[in-house]
Amino acid sequence: MNHYFKPKYECAIRILLAKLEVINAELSIELSRTVITGMSGRLKTWESIEKKAARKGYGKADEKALAAICDIAGVRAVCAYMDDVYRVAKALQKHQDLRIVRIKDYLKMPKSSGYRSLHLIIRFTTDDLKDITAEIQLRTIALDFWACLDHQLRYKRGKQEAGLIGEELREYSSVVADLDRKMVELRNRIAAI
Ligand code: 0O2
């Protein structure tokens, strides 16, 4: 991205990762176990920004288009358990320097592809990063496994090609979600012993 505010997006990613580190440390002490098992951040490539701008009906990836793309800065936290995903989201809500402007709960309402994840669209409120938006994706280890393979196998392919394997991937996504529920139940049963 050869745009003057690229450093701001990079900075946003670093700040969000630092926040997630702190949240992980606090929750891990509180619950005596690791809550976030992995995290990563990425700046959307210029090619991907241009494609998304076109998909959203913008002729070119100008400032207006960039403002409409919420995931130029993207951060992902992979959690051990399903309920941890909501714990992390709740902890992020307490941060004064950002505002959660939109929540896309694809855990409660999975996408037709079978994609399950909790997306928080945040906007920074501090002067230095004012109006910089970012997307935080929160999901479990199991759902991350599904999403990564789906991304490779289907997500970025043409519709016809993707259609052939879509049903099978949707089914596996339900299997993964069931497994996540069972793991929470098992953890709770063990804790009650
Ligand atoms: P990449 O390559 O991961 O960056 P909207 O802004 O609401 O109009 P958008 O941005 O598509 O539409 O929102 P959404 O649904 O929150 O999707 C944002 C990101 O979620 C995607 O970014 C993917 O990372 C992920 N995602 C969404 N649907 C799927 C899916 O079916 N499978 C997988 N594996 N990931 C998905 P990008 O920019 O599309 O792609």
Side-chain angles (χ1 to χ4, degrees):
M1 192 197 309
N2 57 356
H3 204 277
Y4 68 92
F5 53 79
K6 179 184 171 190
K8 292 207 174 190
Y9 284 107
E10 286 171 338
C11 184
I13 290 170
R14 282 200 297 274
I15 290 172
L16 291 174
L17 288 173
K19 284 181 183 297
L20 288 167
E21 291 279 5
V22 174
I23 289 171
N24 188 32
E26 287 173 352
L27 286 176
S28 300
I29 290 169
E30 187 187 321
L31 300 168
S32 305
R33 59 180 174 78
T34 303
V35 169
I36 299 178
T37 60
M39 58 182 83
S40 57
R42 68 101 186 87
L43 192 68
K44 213 172 187 58
T45 63
W46 186 248
E47 191 194 354
S48 181
I49 289 172
E50 281 183 321
K51 274 191 195 152
K52 200 158 197 168
R55 214 162 67 223
K56 284 177 173 283
Y58 293 93
K60 55 181 179 348
D62 56 12
E63 255 181 67
K64 236 171 134 184
L66 294 188
I69 300 174
C70 300
D71 67 340
I72 293 175
V75 166
R76 182 175 301 149
V78 177
C79 300
Y81 297 96
M82 185 68 90
D83 49 0
D84 289 340
V85 166
Y86 292 100
R87 283 193 178 96
V88 173
K90 202 169 157 200
L92 277 163
Q93 274 169 3
K94 292 183 190 147
H95 287 245
Q96 306 276 323
D97 54 343
L98 56 84
R99 205 157 51 83
I100 296 174
V101 291
R102 194 167 167 207
I103 298 176
K104 299 189 214 172
D105 193 340
Y106 299 127
L107 296 174
K108 294 208 168 85
M109 290 277 284
K111 290 187 102 166
S112 57
S113 60
Y115 179 74
R116 292 162 201 258
S117 197
L118 182 67
H119 290 188
L120 308 179
I121 310 298
I122 66 97
R123 187 168 295 148
F124 283 89
T125 55
T126 46
D127 283 347
D128 50 349
L129 290 180
K130 203 153 188 76
D131 296 332
I132 290 290
T133 57
E135 180 179 80
I136 305 174
Q137 298 185 348
L138 304 170
R139 55 189 180 232
T140 63
I141 304 168
L143 292 175
D144 191 53
F145 156 78
W146 183 93
C148 289
L149 296 193
D150 174 68
H151 201 273
Q152 277 177 25
L153 294 171
R154 186 200 58 87
Y155 189 52
K156 295 279 169 167
R157 289 180 193 256
K159 269 200 175 133
Q160 206 180 356
E161 205 183 341
L164 295 171
I165 50 169
E167 203 167 316
E168 214 168 329
L169 278 165
R170 247 193 320 276
E171 187 194 321
Y172 299 159
S173 153
S174 304
V175 173
V176 167
D178 275 348
L179 183 61
D180 263 333
R181 276 188 282 275
K182 285 179 184 160
M183 292 309 263
V184 171
E185 282 168 23
L186 178 63
R187 187 203 66 205
N188 291 344
R189 280 209 310 277
I190 292 169
I193 292 168

